[in-house]
Amino acid sequence: MTSNQPYLLRAFHEWIVDNDLTPHIVVDATIQGVEVPQEHVQQGQIVLNVSPGACQQLVIGNTDISFQARFGGVARQLFIPVHAVQAIYARENGAGTIFEVDPELAEEPASTEAESSPTPPKKGKPTLKVVK
């Protein structure tokens, strides 16, 4: 089953903007594939203003978020895998949600050697049962 996180991100973003509030996302900058200004990362996280006035070309896709924003007057292109977003909230009142870490994405991938080895067959004779 696909993750519901990108759908919830889009919904919360729209809801926050529709209520004239300022949406912010909290991003785990240590996740592979996150492209954010590292000089603004604190304790492995960065909080980003994703309001229409603060960023351009915002795309919240099913696998990643991308947009342009200015940091210290310099335009930067940001790229964030959806699973790196830890929360989305309104700056003014804190309304929003926190996302749980997806265990499948949090675990280190197993070695390819283990993946390629076949599963050993179960011991014993197979049995059939007549179901009426």
Side-chain angles (χ1 to χ4, degrees):
M1 185 183 231
T2 61
S3 171
N4 63 2
Q5 188 169 348
Y7 302 94
L8 292 172
L9 277 169
R10 286 189 289 268
F12 271 99
H13 182 269
E14 182 179 351
W15 175 68
I16 292 168
V17 170
D18 284 353
N19 284 283
D20 296 322
L21 300 173
T22 310
H24 282 67
I25 57 173
V26 180
V27 177
D28 181 348
T30 64
I31 300 286
Q32 185 175 3
V34 172
E35 295 176 18
V36 295
Q38 291 299 311
E39 63 271 19
H40 296 285
V41 173
Q42 296 178 356
Q43 298 176 349
Q45 294 181 331
I46 186 168
V47 178
L48 299 167
N49 179 345
V50 288
S51 67
C55 62
Q56 292 86 34
Q57 301 173 354
L58 174 66
V59 176
I60 303 174
N62 286 343
T63 58
D64 53 67
I65 300 169
S66 63
F67 60 94
Q68 292 179 352
R70 292 189 169 276
F71 293 85
V74 178
R76 306 279 286 269
Q77 180 69 36
L78 284 75
F79 182 84
I80 303 155
V82 167
H83 64 272
V85 178
Q86 297 176 321
I88 183 169
Y89 67 94
R91 179 186 67 203
E92 293 81 359
N93 63 10
T97 191
I98 297 172
F99 297 104
E100 293 182 15
V101 175
D102 186 344
E104 291 180 10
L105 297 172
E107 294 177 4
E108 290 295 319
S111 69
T112 54
E113 183 180 310
E115 290 175 8
S116 63
S117 64
T119 306
K122 293 182 180 181
K123 305 251 180 193
K125 293 183 177 181
T127 58
L128 296 175
K129 190 178 211 179
V130 178
V131 179
K132 294 185 180 182

